[in-house]
Amino acid sequence: MTRLHSLLLVGLALLGCEDPLQSVSSIQGPRLLGVRVSVAGDAKRGTPAPGESATAEFLLATKDGDPSVSFALEACTTTQSYSGIAECLATPFATALQASPIPGRAAFPFAVPADLGVNSGLRGLIRGVICANSELSGADSAAPHCADGQNGELSFDFEFGAAGSATANSNPELVSDALSLDGNPWLAATAGATETCPSSLLEVHAGSSHQLSVRLRDSDFEPLTQLSPEDPTRETLLVSHFSSAGTLGHAFSWLTAASPALTATMPWDAPKTVSGTQLIHFYFVARDSRGGQDFAERALCLVP
Amino acid sequence: MRGRDPDRITRSEAPRTTRKGALVRLRFTRFAFGALVTLFAARAVAENVAPDDATPAAAAVTPPRLLSSSAAVVPEGTHPTEPVTVVLSLGIDAEGQVSEATVVTSGGAEFDQSALTAVKGFRFEPARRGDAPVAVVIGYRYVFPAEIAPIPSVPPAPVPSTESTSAAEPMPAPPSAKAGGEPEEFSGSATIEAPAREVTRRTVSGEMLTEMPGTRGDPVRAIEVMPGVGRTSLNNGDPILRGASPNESQTFLNGAPVPFLYHFGGLTSFFSARYLDRVDLYPGNFSTRYGRVSGGVLDLHTKDPRSDGFHAGLDLSLIDSSAFASSNLGSQGSVGVAARRSNIDLVFSKFVPKNSYSVVAAPLYYDYQAIAAYHLNARNTARVIGYGSRDSVQLFFADPNDEDPSLKGKIGGTIEFHRVQLELESKLGDSTTQTTSATFGRLLASQQIGDLEQVIEGNELHARSEWRSELTTGLSATLGGDLFSWFMKGRYHGPAPGQFEGNPSDNEPNSTRRDISIEDSHLNIVRPGAYLEFGVRPAARVLLVPGVRFDYYGDLRKFSLDPRFTARYEVRPGFTLKSGIGYYTQAPEYYQALSGIGNPNIEPYRALQTSFGFDEQAGHAFKFGAEGFYKRLENRIVGTPDGVAPHFINDGDGRIYGAELSAEYHGHSGTFAYLAYTLSRSERRDGNAGYRLFDHDEPHVLSSAVSQPLGRGWLVGARFRLISGDPSTRVVGSVYDARTGVYLPKYGPINGDRDPTFSQLDVRVEKTWHLGPVSLAAYVDVLNAYDAKNPQGYRYSFDYSQKQPVADLGLFPNLGLKGEL
């Protein structure tokens, strides 16, 4: 109870005051936002089985969008610990190294060894460093890092599970029409990051306020095995939302199969001023807490 | 417990001073004014009221109130084997000074002189007839106890008084009585307490209970000025005693363990100061009567409500409001009630920012006490004490917390306990006393943070029974038993509990931690204990106290045997050397032994405590002391790496050592001053790792306090503390946990850094008016008068790349009004 009270009093004391710390929903510099594992030949499944190949894709965000990436990654096995950063139980079964940045979304293909004895509690782990628009230093060392000092360390654990098995897990899916702005469809931008706004982008005016919405589908809420009557019967999904400018009302939204319209809505206030036009990037990640993820990017053009 | 405690017989309101290890306590007994007038034909003698205008029968007389006393000492060279009684008659003038003192009943020339010498230093708030101060005569009875004989656990027979409707003889008319101007008469008694038997006991009583600056009148907070007491962090008031973890020390109320000491916020303890007689602090090497903890003990002792008629009062402040009422219960008893409620909820909603969260139930606490005491006969006194406390808050966060998305939905909880304590104190023969108590209660502690939930509720039963006897001259014995028992049910869903000290990852986002669920409908914990202690005087100035304590832990099927030894040597009157050594076994927390989240095979661990020092009573008012201590923790319970089963093991140890210096002054006019300094180091070792600092290692603790009446009802006081900052663990980086979407911190050496030094000045100003039988007071308690920031750790940005100091409570003026009838 003491911890609860401490949390409440410290947190409540800050509400209503301008928080000097950077908001989690504000993209000010390069950040890794999501990792999605897709099994080869069964892209919706995020749990490869021994002998199967899979690819991990990474959503890296920057203020200007579409970064070049460098990375040092490895895949290994781990167990689900009660807390702390996961560690490899054995020598990694896959590695990838890209010391100089290359354009495009980072991807890490790997194959799960066929003779991997997957037992209850054994999980997969992808860990390493990924950098946006930066060289990778110390690639050959035990501590590779981004040359420009950005924090690119990551850890992502997932389950092993063949299709139809008890541990199989599907990634949720942010389909093309999942996102809307003020109730209107908000489709992906067709142009890359530029200083000017493509005409295909939606425009918003400086100082305006808007509602962003993310809609999921009923099939995204997979059934769960109940260990007790109090356990939920279906997944609960966490939607994270980020913007490179303006202010989002909150950074996370929870959705259940019972949520109205299976939609998360969050307010966004555009910057109060703009010089000319400004391209603003938005990122959304949907997670099921078991390793299943999907992400989407959108953009707006800010005009005076 | 009263019968066991060598330091007291009665519960009274007077302050204490010590000399030669003896303590004086005064108790007033108020008598009916009609009977007084009938027997003594007294009339008011007041400065501004002519005798012809006096109408004693018309205006109520308020008896004098003792502001300060000085100790009466057992005369040097005397070692009474039976109690010695001296009855005095004291004239108290309209200024509150003792104008004359005469012996009414002699206890022997030396004891008479000791009593007469002591009363010369007494200072009273004068008696009043209406608003006017008047001279009165009071009867005082001192009881000098046998040196090692157990103190009679029942109050002495009432002093014959004019109030009584019994056949008791009235007090003889005082020699100073004059025809046409005889003062009012009252009666009181004082009891000299036996010399101390512990190595160190520090007591807060009298005006220090409620007038200590910076405590808002909270009697438990007053111990913060004492050596060996560390500073607790924001919102956590549990005391840190000689470098021990909060859970390694225990607070008792009349010998029964208290589950929660402070309301949330850590500003107010659960029991009203109105019915507290004193707070005893044992920072270490405590008696065998206390067990199951390895650190220190805080024992709160209640006092009986006033038996001199009806009294009531109110205290309204910014933080909370309280009220009390008391009355006599016939001629042999008294009853009193008190209640307190926080005021935070009245204004909380006004400060809630829009679109942040909804307030389902604003933070609210309350507590209540009810005490009834009755002297069944000259040898038996019974008490019933009911008390309870409740804290609750319920908020609703529609959107998840930006720092930890698992914090959503309902966030709040309730902690409450309600108890009834029955006590019986008996004198069995001339040299044996018995005290028995049983406490029945109901406890509920529930906490919900989104999907995380912890609930424990059920019944508790605690009991204690003790016999003290003087076996022969120079040898006494104390035999006792106590019981701690819980009959609870509970459920838990959340992160697996880990080691709560030396474990920075315990505060990481819940969403990154693996949840577990357990439910137990038979969480029964029965832990009986027994103890035996002797008081041996091989020589007149030497006291040896060997003892042993046995505890059985029913839930663990384990037992412990703790031998303890204390020695005191009175080198010369007023100067005593003292030392102690002993084992102190610590019971595991209940969840550390629960199957599923703990280790059913976990064992209690223990501390070896040693201490050596001296006490010096310099004159009536000054007292000094110094003490060194060393503690070694053995077989300490630590968490397993990554929290894997069995989750907790006995694979740790610790060492704590230091020195304490203290100086105390209690003046005649109600002044008190306190200065304390502690130099210490507290370290722990987890498994095979090297020693590290304890979470609350505070190498330097300097505390000082002063309180001074200025006359005309004014009282001012100040408290200053200068304390080393607590150790902290630096965050040296972070890793993005892509599965949960939050960052996990990477740490440097555990407790390898230290927060800045803490300093705080608190000031209290109070003005009291007396309006006939009513006293009114206005006060302001300014906490942190110069608004020191006192950072306590940091708050980090989501990726730990930025940090902001978390400041302690800033300048906070607590204004209040109180009235008392």
Side-chain angles (χ1 to χ4, degrees):
Chain A
M1 196 65 176
T2 298
R3 186 183 306 170
L4 166 66
H5 289 145
S6 300
L7 171 70
L8 281 176
L9 288 179
V10 173
L12 296 176
L14 291 169
L15 289 171
C17 304
E18 192 165 331
D19 193 346
L21 302 178
Q22 181 184 343
S23 167
V24 63
S25 61
S26 172
I27 302 298
Q28 299 297 315
R31 276 171 62 183
L32 177 67
L33 299 182
V35 178
R36 180 179 62 207
V37 170
S38 303
V39 177
D42 187 4
K44 194 161 167 56
R45 179 159 53 96
T47 55
E52 289 186 319
S53 297
T55 299
E57 292 179 85
F58 302 83
L59 175 62
L60 266 175
T62 65
K63 251 183 118 52
D64 305 317
D66 292 337
S68 298
V69 295
S70 58
F71 48 82
L73 301 167
E74 58 189 21
C76 58
T77 55
T78 188
T79 57
Q80 191 174 28
S81 66
Y82 286 96
S83 64
I85 302 168
E87 298 289 340
C88 288
L89 288 179
T91 303
F93 52 79
T95 60
L97 176 64
Q98 178 62 48
S100 295
I102 55 172
R105 183 170 284 181
F108 174 31
F110 62 91
V112 180
D115 59 352
L116 187 67
V118 175
N119 53 32
S120 175
L122 199 65
R123 301 171 64 83
L125 173 66
I126 293 173
R127 64 176 194 173
V129 177
I130 189 165
C131 313
N133 300 328
S134 169
E135 295 278 337
L136 184 73
S137 296
D140 299 328
S141 71
H145 55 277
C146 302
D148 66 350
Q150 67 183 263
N151 179 14
E153 288 193 66
L154 71 103
S155 173
F156 175 72
D157 61 296
F158 56 94
E159 296 193 54
F160 296 113
S165 69
T167 55
N169 182 42
S170 296
N171 293 310
E173 192 173 357
L174 291 173
V175 296
S176 59
D177 62 349
L179 300 165
S180 59
L181 174 68
D182 297 327
N184 301 311
W186 189 9
L187 301 179
T190 56
T194 63
E195 300 248 341
T196 56
C197 296
S199 59
S200 59
L201 286 184
L202 296 176
E203 288 186 352
V204 295
H205 292 278
S208 58
S209 297
H210 304 273
Q211 292 288 328
L212 315 183
S213 300
V214 177
R215 179 175 51 81
L216 294 171
R217 300 172 304 176
D218 187 76
S219 58
D220 291 319
F221 299 88
E222 291 185 274
L224 294 173
T225 302
Q226 281 185 293
L227 298 178
S228 70
E230 291 78 27
D231 289 343
T233 57
R234 299 180 69 178
E235 287 180 331
T236 298
L237 301 183
L238 177 69
V239 179
S240 311
H241 11 91
F242 311 88
S243 69
S244 63
T247 305
L248 279 164
H250 49 270
F252 301 100
S253 301
W254 285 100
L255 288 175
T256 69
S259 296
L262 304 180
T263 299
T265 301
M266 66 291 305
W268 176 74
D269 295 329
K272 289 183 169 39
T273 59
V274 63
S275 173
T277 60
Q278 179 181 352
L279 186 64
I280 301 177
H281 296 273
F282 293 82
Y283 304 90
F284 301 88
V285 180
R287 294 182 167 86
D288 66 9
S289 302
R290 296 194 290 162
Q293 289 187 24
D294 195 17
F295 24 80
E297 299 177 57
R298 294 293 186 270
L300 290 175
C301 189
L302 181 68
V303 298
Chain B
M1 294 297 290
R2 282 169 32 124
R4 163 64 178 85
D5 197 289
D7 296 311
R8 56 189 315 279
I9 297 178
T10 62
R11 295 177 177 142
S12 69
E13 298 174 303
R16 307 155 51 112
T17 58
T18 61
R19 181 177 183 177
K20 199 188 170 187
L23 300 165
V24 177
R25 184 156 297 183
L26 295 159
R27 184 183 67 179
F28 276 97
T29 304
R30 172 128 182 226
F31 302 100
F33 297 114
L36 284 173
V37 170
T38 300
L39 290 174
F40 294 98
R43 289 192 296 178
V45 176
E47 281 187 41
N48 301 315
V49 177
D52 290 339
D53 296 331
T55 54
V61 176
T62 307
R65 185 172 72 94
L66 183 68
L67 295 177
S68 65
S69 64
S70 49
V73 301
V74 177
E76 183 178 339
T78 66
H79 303 287
T81 56
E82 294 289 339
V84 176
T85 300
V86 177
V87 179
L88 303 177
S89 173
L90 305 184
I92 313 297
D93 64 20
E95 298 293 323
Q97 307 276 5
V98 176
S99 56
E100 61 186 320
T102 54
V103 176
V104 176
T105 302
S106 174
E110 290 169 310
F111 290 93
D112 293 350
Q113 187 56 49
S114 177
L116 287 171
T117 300
V119 297
K120 287 179 185 174
F122 284 12
R123 178 77 169 87
F124 292 84
E125 189 177 303
R128 292 178 185 275
R129 182 184 298 284
D131 289 338
V134 295
V136 293
V137 172
I138 62 175
Y140 271 55
R141 183 171 67 188
Y142 282 111
V143 178
F144 296 80
E147 276 214 314
I148 58 172
I151 304 303
S153 60
V154 296
V159 176
S161 74
T162 56
E163 177 209 27
S164 172
T165 56
S166 71
E169 285 188 284
M171 291 282 289
S176 59
K178 300 186 179 69
E182 294 180 2
E184 296 284 347
E185 283 218 4
F186 297 89
S187 176
S189 67
T191 301
I192 312 298
E193 301 193 351
R197 296 160 64 92
E198 306 84 7
V199 178
T200 300
R201 183 187 66 193
R202 301 190 173 108
T203 297
V204 178
S205 63
E207 63 270 8
M208 283 182 73
L209 279 173
T210 55
E211 295 174 3
M212 179 70 73
T215 66
R216 294 182 48 251
D218 187 86
V220 181
R221 280 286 190 198
I223 67 168
E224 292 176 346
V225 77
M226 294 179 171
V229 181
R231 179 182 68 89
T232 54
S233 57
L234 176 68
N235 196 47
N236 182 353
D238 294 336
I240 308 290
L241 303 179
R242 283 188 178 171
S245 191
N247 72 300
E248 291 174 341
S249 298
Q250 178 67 57
T251 299
F252 295 84
L253 180 78
N254 291 355
V258 170
F260 303 103
L261 181 55
Y262 284 98
H263 294 293
F264 57 55
L267 293 174
T268 305
S269 59
F270 76 100
F271 206 92
S272 169
R274 168 63 49 181
Y275 296 122
L276 275 184
D277 176 54
R278 72 176 197 270
V279 175
D280 286 335
L281 169 66
Y282 303 92
N285 283 116
F286 43 86
S287 160
T288 55
R289 65 193 309 264
Y290 303 108
R292 308 181 197 94
V293 287
S294 61
V297 164
L298 205 60
D299 201 349
L300 280 55
H301 298 268
T302 60
K303 70 181 177 189
D304 296 340
R306 292 177 66 171
S307 57
D308 55 345
F310 178 77
H311 298 273
L314 272 179
D315 187 341
L316 309 175
S317 74
L318 290 180
I319 295 178
D320 53 37
S321 302
S322 60
F324 80 92
S326 66
S327 178
N328 59 295
L329 202 61
S331 62
Q332 298 298 322
S334 60
V335 62
V337 295
R340 171 170 46 205
R341 183 194 189 281
S342 63
N343 298 327
I344 303 170
D345 61 311
L346 302 177
V347 298
F348 186 80
S349 298
K350 296 179 175 45
F351 295 95
V352 174
K354 284 184 183 178
N355 304 319
S356 55
Y357 55 87
S358 305
V359 179
V360 178
L364 168 68
Y365 67 76
Y366 69 75
D367 59 63
Y368 62 87
Q369 302 85 37
I371 301 179
Y374 199 81
H375 305 303
L376 302 172
N377 50 50
R379 291 178 173 272
N380 295 280
T381 299
R383 285 183 187 80
V384 179
I385 304 171
Y387 59 98
S389 169
R390 187 174 194 269
D391 289 33
S392 64
V393 60
Q394 196 76 247
L395 309 175
F396 183 81
F397 287 72
D399 299 315
N401 180 270
D402 278 3
E403 296 177 356
D404 185 353
S406 69
L407 303 183
K408 60 173 172 52
K410 289 182 184 177
I411 294 182
T414 299
I415 284 187
E416 59 180 299
F417 61 92
H418 309 279
R419 291 177 161 187
V420 172
Q421 187 168 348
L422 308 175
E423 293 183 6
L424 178 64
E425 296 184 7
S426 304
K427 186 178 179 185
L428 311 176
D430 292 333
S431 59
T432 303
T433 61
Q434 171 187 287
T435 56
T436 301
S437 71
T439 303
F440 309 90
R442 182 92 187 149
L443 172 72
L444 166 66
S446 72
Q447 174 175 311
Q448 182 175 8
I449 304 175
D451 295 333
L452 312 179
E453 182 187 42
Q454 174 180 338
V455 178
I456 183 165
E457 63 177 324
N459 301 315
E460 48 179 357
L461 168 63
H462 310 294
R464 182 183 290 271
S465 198
E466 186 173 291
W467 296 265
R468 295 188 63 213
S469 182
E470 183 189 359
L471 301 178
T472 180
T473 301
L475 177 65
S476 67
T478 300
L479 175 68
D482 61 15
L483 172 69
F484 173 99
S485 58
W486 265 12
F487 306 97
M488 304 279 172
K489 61 180 180 181
R491 60 182 184 273
Y492 177 82
H493 175 76
Q499 179 176 324
F500 55 81
E501 188 278 326
N503 182 17
S505 62
D506 206 39
N507 293 317
E508 289 171 0
N510 284 325
S511 54
T512 64
R513 304 176 67 181
R514 179 175 155 195
D515 291 343
I516 57 172
S517 295
I518 64 167
E519 188 162 354
D520 191 339
S521 59
H522 293 92
L523 184 57
N524 299 332
I525 298 174
V526 180
R527 296 175 177 174
Y531 50 94
L532 175 63
E533 191 171 275
F534 294 97
V536 184
R537 278 202 179 275
R541 296 172 185 264
V542 177
L543 176 63
L544 306 177
V545 184
V548 65
R549 182 180 173 94
F550 171 85
D551 280 288
Y552 180 69
Y553 305 88
D555 50 312
L556 306 176
R557 294 192 173 82
K558 302 271 193 309
F559 71 91
S560 64
L561 198 64
D562 292 340
R564 301 174 189 172
F565 179 79
T566 297
R568 299 180 69 89
Y569 171 46
E570 188 182 10
V571 178
R572 55 171 171 75
F575 183 77
T576 302
L577 294 176
K578 54 185 184 176
S579 67
I581 186 170
Y583 277 105
Y584 297 80
T585 297
Q586 176 75 38
E589 299 294 307
Y590 74 93
Y591 64 86
Q592 292 177 328
L594 271 184
S595 178
I597 63 171
N599 180 1
N601 296 316
I602 202 74
E603 295 182 351
Y605 64 97
R606 67 181 188 178
L608 172 66
Q609 294 197 24
T610 62
S611 59
F612 178 82
F614 72 86
D615 288 328
E616 163 82 42
Q617 180 74 45
H620 291 286
F622 286 95
K623 181 180 177 184
F624 305 94
E627 189 168 335
F629 59 89
Y630 175 82
K631 294 196 289 186
R632 187 179 73 226
L633 303 180
E634 305 170 353
N635 220 26
R636 193 175 124 257
I637 295 174
V638 297
T640 55
D642 295 329
V644 299
H647 311 293
F648 298 100
I649 51 178
N650 294 93
D651 194 28
D653 57 34
R655 60 190 182 196
I656 307 160
Y657 46 92
E660 300 165 358
L661 304 173
S662 64
E664 211 176 315
Y665 170 77
H666 292 270
H668 296 314
S669 57
T671 304
F672 71 78
Y674 213 98
L675 179 66
Y677 172 69
T678 304
L679 174 70
S680 69
R681 188 168 179 91
S682 182
E683 299 172 318
R684 302 291 186 273
R685 183 164 56 185
D686 307 314
N688 295 325
Y691 273 106
R692 58 162 177 86
L693 293 178
F694 167 57
D695 279 358
H696 299 288
D697 170 72
E698 294 168 353
H700 305 279
V701 179
L702 175 69
S703 304
S704 61
V706 62
S707 180
Q708 172 70 55
L710 299 180
R712 294 179 175 271
W714 286 96
L715 175 72
V716 296
R719 181 181 73 161
F720 177 73
R721 293 181 295 161
L722 185 67
I723 304 172
S724 304
D726 279 1
S728 60
T729 300
R730 183 178 300 190
V731 173
V732 298
S734 63
V735 175
Y736 182 63
D737 182 356
R739 179 175 61 84
T740 61
V742 298
Y743 283 78
L744 285 167
K746 293 164 65 176
Y747 300 106
I750 293 178
N751 291 336
D753 282 7
R754 190 176 286 280
D755 290 342
T757 299
F758 170 94
S759 73
Q760 181 164 313
L761 174 68
D762 310 306
V763 178
R764 180 180 175 90
V765 180
E766 182 173 321
K767 166 66 176 166
T768 304
W769 298 269
H770 294 282
L771 308 172
V774 176
S775 70
L776 287 176
Y779 61 88
V780 57
D781 226 333
V782 181
L783 306 181
N784 197 0
Y786 57 80
D787 199 24
K789 296 308 173 193
N790 292 324
Q792 294 186 80
Y794 294 94
R795 183 178 153 260
Y796 290 89
S797 62
F798 66 93
D799 61 354
Y800 297 88
S801 64
Q802 301 171 314
K803 63 182 183 182
Q804 179 193 32
V806 176
D808 201 349
L809 186 68
L811 188 152
F812 184 84
N814 183 46
L815 307 175
L817 287 173
K818 55 184 180 182
E820 183 170 333
L821 172 65

